[in-house]
Every structure is written in C-alpha cells, then in structure tokens.
Amino acid sequence: MKFLKLFGRLKSVVIGMIHVKALPGTPLGCMQMSRITEEACREAEIYRDAGIDAVVIENMHDIPYSFSVGPEVTACLTAVCSAVRNICPQLPLGVQILSSANQQALAVALASGLDFIRAEGFVFSHVADEGLLNACAGDLLRYRKQIGAEHVQIFTDIKKKHSSHALTSDVSIAETAHAAEFFLSDGLIVTGAATGQQADPRELREVSKSVRIPVLIGSGVTYDNIESYIGANGMIVGSHFKEGGHWASAVDPERVKRFMGKIRELRQ
C-alpha cells in the first residue's frame, strides 16, 4: 500500500500543518518572500524536532480565497516548499493550495519534491464559502498523469468544511467516500464543519467501514480527544499545535511535543 510505504505505518500518522503567511498579491500580503520562507522553515524545524510523522504546507493566510489562483501563488509556494524540503529531507511532505487549486498543488509538489497533496472538491458539487465548487477528479488525475507526478498521492476532502452540502443532502458521507474511492482517491479526509472544529467520530467509523483506502481526520484533533481518532490512518493537526489553539498563531513547540508524547504512549 502506498500509504504504508510513504509513512511507515498504517494507523495514527500525525501530520502537522504549516500555514504559510499571506503571499504576495493577496489582500493581507505584507511580508517579503525571504521572511515568509524563513517562518515556514522555522515551523518545519519545530515539527521535525518533535518527531512528527509528516507535514503539510498550506496558504491559509491568503484570505479571502479565490478559485482564480495566480501564477505568483504557485511560484511562491514552490519556493517555500523547496526550502521546507531542504529542512526536512526525509519527512513526508504535502501541500494544499486554497481554494481548490489542486492542479497547481500537484505542480508545486512535483517541482519541490513533495509526496502528497490535499485536494478539495474531488467528487460531487457543493457550495463553499468561496462559491460553487465542482468535482475535479477526472481532470486532476489526468493532469497528474500528463506531468509525470503519479508518485504524488492525492488525499481528498469529502463533505468539505466551510461548505453547504444541501446539493448532496441525499448522498451520505459513506456514499461520498465510496465515490471518491471509485474515482481513484489515494485517501479520504473527514473534517468538522469548520477549521479547528472536531470531526464526528461516528463519521470516521462509517467511512472507514465503507472503503478500503486510508481515512484521515482533517480538523479538530486535540491532546484531549486523541483517543477518539487513534484508529484513523492519519490525523492532520493545525489549530491545536498553535499558540492558544488558534490557527493563525505561531506553532507552539511545547504543544507539539506534548501531543506527540501522548500519541506515542497510545500507539504502544
């Protein structure tokens, strides 16, 4: 299995988030690229030194998000991701580009030597806070083939957070998961309704029973609720690793170390 080969384990992989500072050209962009890259590398070092299993890099500070991601975002994230790869040459690394810039994320991953991307809108349409988001699986996997990036795994959000799912209210999360598996997703991500909000453990169990591919938790995992998600293949942790538990703050080394200490105990 590709997941096992990449992460070295099948369960309870911990993936830390680096929320890159607002990039040039975005409404909140005010930092030079050298400083943006330096900040990302500093957080990568914290994760690496705490013994985290993997890291994903995301442009979450680029609010408000747009479906028209410019070439400057792709170029800048390639520079950041390449620098983080140099800091963490052995650690599995991934990237997500908001909003739903999944082809651009694949290009960044290929150029930077990353291992996976996190993709939104893989199957089914839904109304996100950025607007109507349509399925992209067919085009995305063809693009991955065309650029020779088939080694880059694609982990896909289902019933994406920050979205209304009224359009697919008659499609259960298990059915959505099955559709994503049928469309060749490498792994599924289950989240809460918004960033930092706890995912429903019942949905984790329901999805895990419905598919044969890895299932990850994409939001709301904390030191206090790890036990509810220890059976997941992976846990993407962002807000909880930040100072005060807020996603926009800096990564807190002590929070990461404490979390990783507990996860090691639970794995035994």
Side-chain angles (χ1 to χ4, degrees), residues 229-247:
Y229 305 112
I230 195 69
N233 295 102
M235 295 169 276
I236 302 172
V237 186
S239 299
H240 182 67
F241 284 158
K242 303 302 187 69
E243 295 174 357
H246 181 57
W247 73 265

Side-chain angles (χ1 to χ4, degrees), residues 177-208:
H178 181 71
E181 180 182 39
F182 182 66
F183 273 11
L184 307 180
S185 169
D186 293 305
L188 308 177
I189 301 173
V190 176
T191 70
T195 297
Q197 290 191 12
Q198 183 174 342
D200 188 339
R202 294 172 299 180
E203 289 190 343
L204 169 62
R205 293 191 292 269
E206 184 179 357
V207 171
S208 298

Side-chain angles (χ1 to χ4, degrees), residues 54-228:
V55 170
V56 61
I57 300 152
E58 182 187 71
N59 64 325
M60 193 162 173
H61 286 271
D62 287 359
I63 50 177
Y65 309 120
S66 170
F67 292 139
S68 301
V69 173
E72 71 284 353
V73 172
T74 306
C76 290
L77 277 177
T78 299
V80 172
C81 290
S82 296
V84 171
R85 171 49 80 201
N86 288 333
I87 294 293
C88 304
Q90 304 301 323
L91 206 61
L93 299 178
V95 62
Q96 179 176 19
I97 304 181
L98 303 167
S99 173
S100 193
N102 301 321
Q103 290 191 13
Q104 292 93 325
L106 273 176
V108 170
L110 179 64
S112 307
L114 306 193
D115 306 289
F116 64 95
I117 71 166
R118 180 176 181 176
E120 301 176 286
F122 194 71
V123 291
F124 293 105
S125 296
H126 54 269
V127 182
D129 47 11
E130 307 94 343
L132 181 63
L133 185 60
N134 287 318
C136 69
D139 290 341
L140 184 61
L141 267 64
R142 282 165 174 78
Y143 180 72
R144 181 172 68 171
K145 181 88 169 182
Q146 290 164 7
I147 66 172
E150 291 174 281
H151 59 286
V152 178
Q153 296 186 49
I154 299 175
F155 301 136
T156 58
D157 279 87
I158 53 174
K159 299 288 186 179
K160 172 180 139 45
K161 59 187 176 182
H162 301 289
S163 300
S164 165
H165 298 286
L167 291 174
T168 54
S169 59
D170 58 337
V171 182
S172 71
I173 193 168
E175 291 169 327
T176 306
H178 181 71
E181 180 182 39
F182 182 66
F183 273 11
L184 307 180
S185 169
D186 293 305
L188 308 177
I189 301 173
V190 176
T191 70
T195 297
Q197 290 191 12
Q198 183 174 342
D200 188 339
R202 294 172 299 180
E203 289 190 343
L204 169 62
R205 293 191 292 269
E206 184 179 357
V207 171
S208 298
K209 291 177 181 177
S210 302
V211 298
R212 292 177 291 179
I213 57 177
V215 180
L216 299 85
I217 292 296
S219 72
V221 180
T222 70
Y223 179 90
D224 293 325
N225 68 18
I226 301 173
E227 290 87 350
S228 298

